[in-house]
Amino acid sequence: MSRQRVIVIGGGVCGLGVGWKLAAAGADVTVFDRGKAGRESTWAAAGMLCPQMELRPQEEDISALGLESMKRWRAFAADLEADSDIPLHYRDEGTLFISADQDAAEQLRFLHDHQIELGMPVEWLSGAEVREREPYISHNVVAGLVCLDDHHIDCRGMTRALAEAFVRRGGDLREDAPVDGVVVDDARLTGVRVNGEVIPADAVVVAAGTWSGMLDGLGGDVKPPVRPVKGQMLMLRQPDERILSHCIWARSSRDFCYMVPKADGTLLIGATVEEVGYNKDVTAGAVLDMLRAAWGVLPSVYDLPIIETWAGLRPASRDGAPVLGATDVDGLFMATGHFRNGILFAPVTAEDVAHAVLTGETTATIAPYGLGRFAA
Ligand code: GLY
């Protein structure tokens, strides 16, 4: 029997993750990226694996998917490191959510109680208990939550590792190669069009992030409703004597930021959430807001050098949940719309979408996230 020929459109965490799993299972896989692999929202992400921190009221379904993916993350990271020889620097000290005033502490209490209702492992901390864990945190901070099961990884290392593992498993990675569209014949996918040439395929996975809905040949029923939601971030360098060791989310009545200390001594601070189309400018106001929020709870950031600033575009679907698995077009699959959780959802996306392509079966884990839900 000939090998299944699969084309993946998009070389970010979703496309490379699915491509890696398919190639490891013996499929003949090509990943096309319109630019350099992983250089859009994957590169821009902070690498947080935080299903509890990301919990929003009315979004329990998304949290359930996040918790399931989180259970798989350590094994996913170990396999990826073994296949690429590139470290992901998995950090598991846990994550703190701190409040810089009484108003924010009340909101934190609500989040704490909601997490307890859902049976999540969370602990309430006084301001003094926060400072026992993080001595440089300001005395303004009146309370905190600790979520020991919320972790983080080096996102850029993960991007390199996915590309390396995919190629080592026999995958063909084509960069600077935009796909114009998909070719569909009588509700059956037959290939993709690249630079005017039709490349035949048994299956195609659309993993093009915020560009996923723009491919020619996707009719109304199979066009994923994704839009860009901009996030600006900055990177500082910590001194040799670190001022922060946990991933921190910090809220006051007027400010919010998260701070993610990486193994290499960098400290990421993010992120804005902006609906401004495909604009990726870094703005003075956003940097001011994020630094003010960080400085309000960790005054020592004042002296740290800024190494880099950037903006990424989160691919948000109409209901904020990812779009995963088979579609009404035979042979056409989706792995897109991951919004705030692209890195967290990497294991379920890679494993369960690859499973759908290889077997035609949809796992119970991704069944609620099919494209068909938007038609209804
Ligand atoms: N998950 C973090 C963010 O989207 O900013």
Side-chain angles (χ1 to χ4, degrees), residues 19 42 57 85 95-96 112 134 138 154 163 176 182 189 192 194 236 282 344:
T42 304
D85 292 315
T95 296
L96 307 183
H112 169 266
E134 289 289 358
S138 159
D154 167 16
D176 301 311
V182 299
L189 188 289
V192 300
V194 179
L236 312 182
V282 174
L344 172 63

PDB file of all heavy atoms in Angstrom, residues 19 42 57 85 95-96 112 134 138 154 163 176 182 189 192 194 236 282 344:
ATOM      1  N   GLY A  19       2.283  17.702  11.692  1.00  0.00           N
ATOM      2  CA  GLY A  19       3.193  17.139  10.689  1.00  0.00           C
ATOM      3  C   GLY A  19       4.192  16.172  11.302  1.00  0.00           C
ATOM      4  O   GLY A  19       4.464  15.094  10.754  1.00  0.00           O
ATOM      5  N   THR A  42       3.456  31.573  17.014  1.00  0.00           N
ATOM      6  CA  THR A  42       4.208  30.638  17.871  1.00  0.00           C
ATOM      7  C   THR A  42       5.437  31.332  18.458  1.00  0.00           C
ATOM      8  O   THR A  42       5.723  31.247  19.654  1.00  0.00           O
ATOM      9  CB  THR A  42       4.628  29.402  17.060  1.00  0.00           C
ATOM     10  OG1 THR A  42       3.466  28.819  16.482  1.00  0.00           O
ATOM     11  CG2 THR A  42       5.330  28.380  17.929  1.00  0.00           C
ATOM     12  N   PRO A  57     -14.793  32.555  33.274  1.00  0.00           N
ATOM     13  CA  PRO A  57     -16.171  32.109  33.482  1.00  0.00           C
ATOM     14  C   PRO A  57     -16.847  31.933  32.116  1.00  0.00           C
ATOM     15  O   PRO A  57     -16.584  32.699  31.197  1.00  0.00           O
ATOM     16  CB  PRO A  57     -16.804  33.261  34.270  1.00  0.00           C
ATOM     17  CG  PRO A  57     -15.657  33.987  34.868  1.00  0.00           C
ATOM     18  CD  PRO A  57     -14.498  33.824  33.940  1.00  0.00           C
ATOM     19  N   ASP A  85      16.870  16.656  19.886  1.00  0.00           N
ATOM     20  CA  ASP A  85      18.050  17.027  20.668  1.00  0.00           C
ATOM     21  C   ASP A  85      18.098  18.526  20.958  1.00  0.00           C
ATOM     22  O   ASP A  85      19.177  19.118  21.067  1.00  0.00           O
ATOM     23  CB  ASP A  85      19.349  16.571  19.972  1.00  0.00           C
ATOM     24  CG  ASP A  85      19.459  15.063  19.956  1.00  0.00           C
ATOM     25  OD1 ASP A  85      19.204  14.446  21.002  1.00  0.00           O
ATOM     26  OD2 ASP A  85      19.755  14.497  18.882  1.00  0.00           O
ATOM     27  N   THR A  95       2.685  28.680  39.003  1.00  0.00           N
ATOM     28  CA  THR A  95       2.401  30.059  38.583  1.00  0.00           C
ATOM     29  C   THR A  95       1.622  30.758  39.688  1.00  0.00           C
ATOM     30  O   THR A  95       0.758  30.153  40.327  1.00  0.00           O
ATOM     31  CB  THR A  95       1.591  30.017  37.265  1.00  0.00           C
ATOM     32  OG1 THR A  95       2.411  29.418  36.256  1.00  0.00           O
ATOM     33  CG2 THR A  95       1.172  31.398  36.807  1.00  0.00           C
ATOM     34  N   LEU A  96       1.966  32.024  39.914  1.00  0.00           N
ATOM     35  CA  LEU A  96       1.260  32.829  40.925  1.00  0.00           C
ATOM     36  C   LEU A  96       0.411  33.887  40.235  1.00  0.00           C
ATOM     37  O   LEU A  96       0.870  34.513  39.282  1.00  0.00           O
ATOM     38  CB  LEU A  96       2.260  33.550  41.845  1.00  0.00           C
ATOM     39  CG  LEU A  96       3.339  32.723  42.546  1.00  0.00           C
ATOM     40  CD1 LEU A  96       4.175  33.640  43.453  1.00  0.00           C
ATOM     41  CD2 LEU A  96       2.718  31.629  43.374  1.00  0.00           C
ATOM     42  N   HIS A 112     -10.465  32.204  42.533  1.00  0.00           N
ATOM     43  CA  HIS A 112     -10.093  31.119  43.448  1.00  0.00           C
ATOM     44  C   HIS A 112     -11.302  30.221  43.714  1.00  0.00           C
ATOM     45  O   HIS A 112     -11.242  28.998  43.582  1.00  0.00           O
ATOM     46  CB  HIS A 112      -9.561  31.731  44.748  1.00  0.00           C
ATOM     47  CG  HIS A 112      -9.391  30.752  45.862  1.00  0.00           C
ATOM     48  ND1 HIS A 112     -10.367  30.529  46.821  1.00  0.00           N
ATOM     49  CD2 HIS A 112      -8.361  29.913  46.165  1.00  0.00           C
ATOM     50  CE1 HIS A 112      -9.948  29.603  47.663  1.00  0.00           C
ATOM     51  NE2 HIS A 112      -8.736  29.216  47.296  1.00  0.00           N
ATOM     52  N   GLU A 134       8.465  34.875  46.504  1.00  0.00           N
ATOM     53  CA  GLU A 134       9.102  35.830  45.582  1.00  0.00           C
ATOM     54  C   GLU A 134       9.463  37.090  46.369  1.00  0.00           C
ATOM     55  O   GLU A 134       8.683  38.044  46.454  1.00  0.00           O
ATOM     56  CB  GLU A 134       8.147  36.182  44.430  1.00  0.00           C
ATOM     57  CG  GLU A 134       7.922  35.076  43.427  1.00  0.00           C
ATOM     58  CD  GLU A 134       9.156  34.797  42.549  1.00  0.00           C
ATOM     59  OE1 GLU A 134      10.184  35.505  42.693  1.00  0.00           O
ATOM     60  OE2 GLU A 134       9.092  33.860  41.743  1.00  0.00           O
ATOM     61  N   SER A 138       6.473  43.572  45.514  1.00  0.00           N
ATOM     62  CA  SER A 138       6.174  44.773  46.287  1.00  0.00           C
ATOM     63  C   SER A 138       5.228  44.510  47.465  1.00  0.00           C
ATOM     64  O   SER A 138       4.370  43.616  47.405  1.00  0.00           O
ATOM     65  CB  SER A 138       5.528  45.774  45.332  1.00  0.00           C
ATOM     66  OG  SER A 138       4.809  46.724  46.041  1.00  0.00           O
ATOM     67  N   ASP A 154      10.221  27.025  26.925  1.00  0.00           N
ATOM     68  CA  ASP A 154      10.874  27.978  26.019  1.00  0.00           C
ATOM     69  C   ASP A 154      10.252  27.805  24.629  1.00  0.00           C
ATOM     70  O   ASP A 154      10.491  26.827  23.939  1.00  0.00           O
ATOM     71  CB  ASP A 154      12.374  27.684  25.990  1.00  0.00           C
ATOM     72  CG  ASP A 154      13.086  28.400  24.855  1.00  0.00           C
ATOM     73  OD1 ASP A 154      12.511  29.346  24.278  1.00  0.00           O
ATOM     74  OD2 ASP A 154      14.213  27.994  24.533  1.00  0.00           O
ATOM     75  N   ALA A 163      10.511  21.844  14.184  1.00  0.00           N
ATOM     76  CA  ALA A 163      10.986  21.810  12.789  1.00  0.00           C
ATOM     77  C   ALA A 163      12.041  20.713  12.622  1.00  0.00           C
ATOM     78  O   ALA A 163      12.019  19.937  11.652  1.00  0.00           O
ATOM     79  CB  ALA A 163      11.551  23.177  12.400  1.00  0.00           C
ATOM     80  N   ASP A 176       8.921  29.978   3.006  1.00  0.00           N
ATOM     81  CA  ASP A 176       8.713  31.026   1.987  1.00  0.00           C
ATOM     82  C   ASP A 176       7.924  30.472   0.809  1.00  0.00           C
ATOM     83  O   ASP A 176       8.210  30.781  -0.354  1.00  0.00           O
ATOM     84  CB  ASP A 176      10.060  31.593   1.523  1.00  0.00           C
ATOM     85  CG  ASP A 176      10.844  32.183   2.683  1.00  0.00           C
ATOM     86  OD1 ASP A 176      10.256  32.970   3.442  1.00  0.00           O
ATOM     87  OD2 ASP A 176      12.021  31.822   2.857  1.00  0.00           O
ATOM     88  N   VAL A 182      -6.827  25.504  -1.746  1.00  0.00           N
ATOM     89  CA  VAL A 182      -7.014  24.052  -1.783  1.00  0.00           C
ATOM     90  C   VAL A 182      -7.826  23.703  -3.023  1.00  0.00           C
ATOM     91  O   VAL A 182      -8.579  24.539  -3.545  1.00  0.00           O
ATOM     92  CB  VAL A 182      -7.727  23.533  -0.516  1.00  0.00           C
ATOM     93  CG1 VAL A 182      -6.906  23.835   0.728  1.00  0.00           C
ATOM     94  CG2 VAL A 182      -9.116  24.121  -0.383  1.00  0.00           C
ATOM     95  N   LEU A 189     -11.294  16.518  -1.181  1.00  0.00           N
ATOM     96  CA  LEU A 189     -10.055  17.261  -1.319  1.00  0.00           C
ATOM     97  C   LEU A 189      -9.103  16.501  -2.245  1.00  0.00           C
ATOM     98  O   LEU A 189      -8.901  15.294  -2.057  1.00  0.00           O
ATOM     99  CB  LEU A 189      -9.473  17.376   0.106  1.00  0.00           C
ATOM    100  CG  LEU A 189      -8.271  18.252   0.402  1.00  0.00           C
ATOM    101  CD1 LEU A 189      -7.000  17.696  -0.148  1.00  0.00           C
ATOM    102  CD2 LEU A 189      -8.491  19.671  -0.093  1.00  0.00           C
ATOM    103  N   VAL A 192      -3.459  20.892  -3.247  1.00  0.00           N
ATOM    104  CA  VAL A 192      -3.346  22.334  -2.988  1.00  0.00           C
ATOM    105  C   VAL A 192      -2.706  22.991  -4.206  1.00  0.00           C
ATOM    106  O   VAL A 192      -2.055  22.316  -5.019  1.00  0.00           O
ATOM    107  CB  VAL A 192      -2.482  22.640  -1.735  1.00  0.00           C
ATOM    108  CG1 VAL A 192      -3.088  22.008  -0.494  1.00  0.00           C
ATOM    109  CG2 VAL A 192      -1.034  22.207  -1.924  1.00  0.00           C
ATOM    110  N   VAL A 194       0.057  25.765  -5.298  1.00  0.00           N
ATOM    111  CA  VAL A 194       1.193  26.559  -4.825  1.00  0.00           C
ATOM    112  C   VAL A 194       1.838  27.177  -6.046  1.00  0.00           C
ATOM    113  O   VAL A 194       2.279  26.452  -6.953  1.00  0.00           O
ATOM    114  CB  VAL A 194       2.227  25.678  -4.083  1.00  0.00           C
ATOM    115  CG1 VAL A 194       3.419  26.523  -3.621  1.00  0.00           C
ATOM    116  CG2 VAL A 194       1.588  24.975  -2.892  1.00  0.00           C
ATOM    117  N   LEU A 236      13.015  41.483  28.892  1.00  0.00           N
ATOM    118  CA  LEU A 236      14.060  42.132  29.686  1.00  0.00           C
ATOM    119  C   LEU A 236      15.116  41.094  30.032  1.00  0.00           C
ATOM    120  O   LEU A 236      14.886  39.899  29.864  1.00  0.00           O
ATOM    121  CB  LEU A 236      13.478  42.700  30.984  1.00  0.00           C
ATOM    122  CG  LEU A 236      12.199  43.541  30.911  1.00  0.00           C
ATOM    123  CD1 LEU A 236      11.827  44.053  32.304  1.00  0.00           C
ATOM    124  CD2 LEU A 236      12.353  44.701  29.955  1.00  0.00           C
ATOM    125  N   VAL A 282       4.666  47.773  17.402  1.00  0.00           N
ATOM    126  CA  VAL A 282       4.830  47.869  18.859  1.00  0.00           C
ATOM    127  C   VAL A 282       4.633  49.340  19.218  1.00  0.00           C
ATOM    128  O   VAL A 282       5.291  50.207  18.637  1.00  0.00           O
ATOM    129  CB  VAL A 282       6.222  47.388  19.290  1.00  0.00           C
ATOM    130  CG1 VAL A 282       6.435  47.626  20.777  1.00  0.00           C
ATOM    131  CG2 VAL A 282       6.387  45.901  18.968  1.00  0.00           C
ATOM    132  N   LEU A 344      -0.299  25.717  24.871  1.00  0.00           N
ATOM    133  CA  LEU A 344      -0.940  24.756  25.773  1.00  0.00           C
ATOM    134  C   LEU A 344      -1.619  23.624  24.997  1.00  0.00           C
ATOM    135  O   LEU A 344      -1.518  22.452  25.363  1.00  0.00           O
ATOM    136  CB  LEU A 344      -1.977  25.498  26.639  1.00  0.00           C
ATOM    137  CG  LEU A 344      -2.881  24.623  27.507  1.00  0.00           C
ATOM    138  CD1 LEU A 344      -2.060  23.855  28.541  1.00  0.00           C
ATOM    139  CD2 LEU A 344      -3.945  25.482  28.201  1.00  0.00           C
TER     140      LEU A 344
END
